[in-house]
């Protein structure tokens, strides 16, 4: 298929020569009947593949960078944003319509008006919380950041449905009316700080002998392939050379050329290449940690799980 390959390679090179990049990286799927482009604001390693689409890096990016919801609130309304892979997109806006018709003159009227306003804002907080929960479910978000004055975001957090399980993070800043890029500039450092703390908590949990956890490379990998793992925690960038059965797919670090499960031939593979496929097969969520959390996890051979 060299002629087919060369034709597509020329097509890609011509496209890149004529294009002014506006992203940090680019993924191209090119074939006789295919031309798909994915722009990313995260760096990737340069790779060129022919044949079956090479999705490993995209699967890793999806595992390492979780999507978040951002709800920026003020007294005029709430704006809903989707943040993922360094990009923020406005999803929808909810305007707060406050009825002031019962606001009256005089001391008693003032008190009645305040109570009426409080009642309306309590109702709006409940509606906003429900809308944010629906948004989170629809987009499969890993967490929600509530941004705004303390007197608004705390009541909204309190009104989330009781069965809502994702983390709710409060950011006490009045940013609801700033431009999208300015909002991103303010929030990215706070999101990064929250992620660092969360990753440290994940590693502490899986390495601290908590009930229902396992740590260590070989034991974790074996539990994964037995369908006993729900969430896998991995040090970002961690890799290992493994051997995988060409028949049943069992994978481990043993150098035995014959599979211990079915007796078939085995091939050499890299953990980074096969782990996303294994995680999908056994419906396991991957949590990749970096920085100090990754270094601590490497002391436990780089892997742990629930």
């Amino acid at each position: 298929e060299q002629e087919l390959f060369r034709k597509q390679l020329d097509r890609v090179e011509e496209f890149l020569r004529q294009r002014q990049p506006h992203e940090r990286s680019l993924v191209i799927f090119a074939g006789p009947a295919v031309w798909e482009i994915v722009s990313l604001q995260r760096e990737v390693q340069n790779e060129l593949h022919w044949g079956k689409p090479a999705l490993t890096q995209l699967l890793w990016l999806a595992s390492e960078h979780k999507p978040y919801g951002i709800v920026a609130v003020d007294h005029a309304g709430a704006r809903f944003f989707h943040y993922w892979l360094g990009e923020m997109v406005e999803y929808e806006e909810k305007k707060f319509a406050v009825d002031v018709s019962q606001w009256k003159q005089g001391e008693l009227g003032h008190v009645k008006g305040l109570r009426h306003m409080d009642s309306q804002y309590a109702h709006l907080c409940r509606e906003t919380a429900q809308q944010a929960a629906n948004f989170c479910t629809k987009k499969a978000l890993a967490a929600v950041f509530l941004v705004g004055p303390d007197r608004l975001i705390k009541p909204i957090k309190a009104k989330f449905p009781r069965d809502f399980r994702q983390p709710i993070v409060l950011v006490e800043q009045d940013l609801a009316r700033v431009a999208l890029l300015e909002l991103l500039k303010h929030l990215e450092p706070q999101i990064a700080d929250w992620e660092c703390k969360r990753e440290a908590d994940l590693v502490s949990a899986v390495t601290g002998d908590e009930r229902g956890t396992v740590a260590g490379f070989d034991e974790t990998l074996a539990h994964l392939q037995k369908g006993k793992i729900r969430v896998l925690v991995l040090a970002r960038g961690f890799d290992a050379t493994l051997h995988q059965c060409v028949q049943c797919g069992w994978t481990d670090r043993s150098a035995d050329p014959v599979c211990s499960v079915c007796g078939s031939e085995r091939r050499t593979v890299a953990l980074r290449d096969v782990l996303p496929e294994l995680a999908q097969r056994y419906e396991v969520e991957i949590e990749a940690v970096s920085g100090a959390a990754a270094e601590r996890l490497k002391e436990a051979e780089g892997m742990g799980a629930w």
Side-chain angles (χ1 to χ4, degrees), residues 52-258:
K52 182 180 178 181
L55 303 178
T56 297
Q57 285 205 60
L58 290 179
L59 290 170
W60 273 110
L61 283 172
S63 300
E64 294 174 359
H65 302 279
K66 303 299 183 183
Y68 299 127
I70 296 168
V71 183
V73 186
D74 64 6
H75 282 93
R79 298 169 69 192
F80 295 77
F81 300 88
H82 181 262
Y83 174 77
W84 192 32
L85 292 171
E87 292 188 276
M88 186 182 293
V89 177
E90 186 160 6
Y91 180 70
E92 60 185 335
E93 181 174 2
K94 174 182 176 62
K95 294 187 182 297
F96 291 169
V98 180
D99 179 15
V100 297
S101 62
Q102 295 188 32
W103 192 274
K104 298 179 180 179
Q105 296 297 323
E107 187 175 341
L108 289 177
H110 179 72
V111 172
K112 186 177 180 180
L114 284 175
R115 289 175 179 170
H116 181 60
M117 293 283 283
D118 288 343
S119 174
Q120 288 186 84
Y121 271 109
H123 178 69
L124 290 169
C125 286
R126 187 179 299 108
E127 285 187 341
T128 304
Q130 186 60 59
Q131 192 168 341
N134 294 341
F135 173 48
C136 188
T137 301
K138 183 176 181 180
K139 293 288 187 179
L141 304 177
V144 175
F145 290 78
L146 291 180
V147 184
D150 180 70
R151 63 186 178 276
L152 286 176
I153 58 176
K154 283 187 176 179
I156 290 174
K157 180 180 180 181
K159 299 296 183 182
F160 268 74
R162 291 185 178 181
D163 59 353
F164 189 79
R165 294 289 177 261
Q166 283 83 349
I168 303 171
V169 187
L170 301 184
V171 180
E172 297 178 20
Q173 286 185 271
D174 191 1
L175 300 172
R177 300 302 133 194
V178 303
L180 190 145
L181 290 178
E182 187 70 16
L183 180 64
L184 182 61
K185 180 180 177 181
H186 278 281
L187 292 183
E188 273 197 316
Q190 300 198 49
I191 293 174
D193 289 344
W194 178 80
E195 285 182 327
C196 285
K197 182 180 183 304
R198 177 175 171 274
E199 289 176 1
D201 292 342
L202 286 173
V203 173
S204 295
V206 297
T207 59
D209 295 325
E210 283 194 15
R211 183 178 179 182
T213 64
V214 60
F217 186 91
D218 295 319
E219 190 173 359
T220 302
L221 186 60
H223 275 71
L224 167 63
Q225 295 175 93
K226 292 176 182 177
K228 295 182 178 181
I229 284 178
R230 176 170 50 90
V231 179
L232 177 71
V233 185
L234 182 77
R236 188 167 294 160
F238 180 78
D239 204 357
T241 299
L242 306 173
H243 294 90
Q244 184 179 59
C245 177
V246 298
Q247 187 65 35
C248 71
W250 182 265
T251 306
D252 57 34
R253 288 198 289 189
S254 168
D256 195 328
V258 176

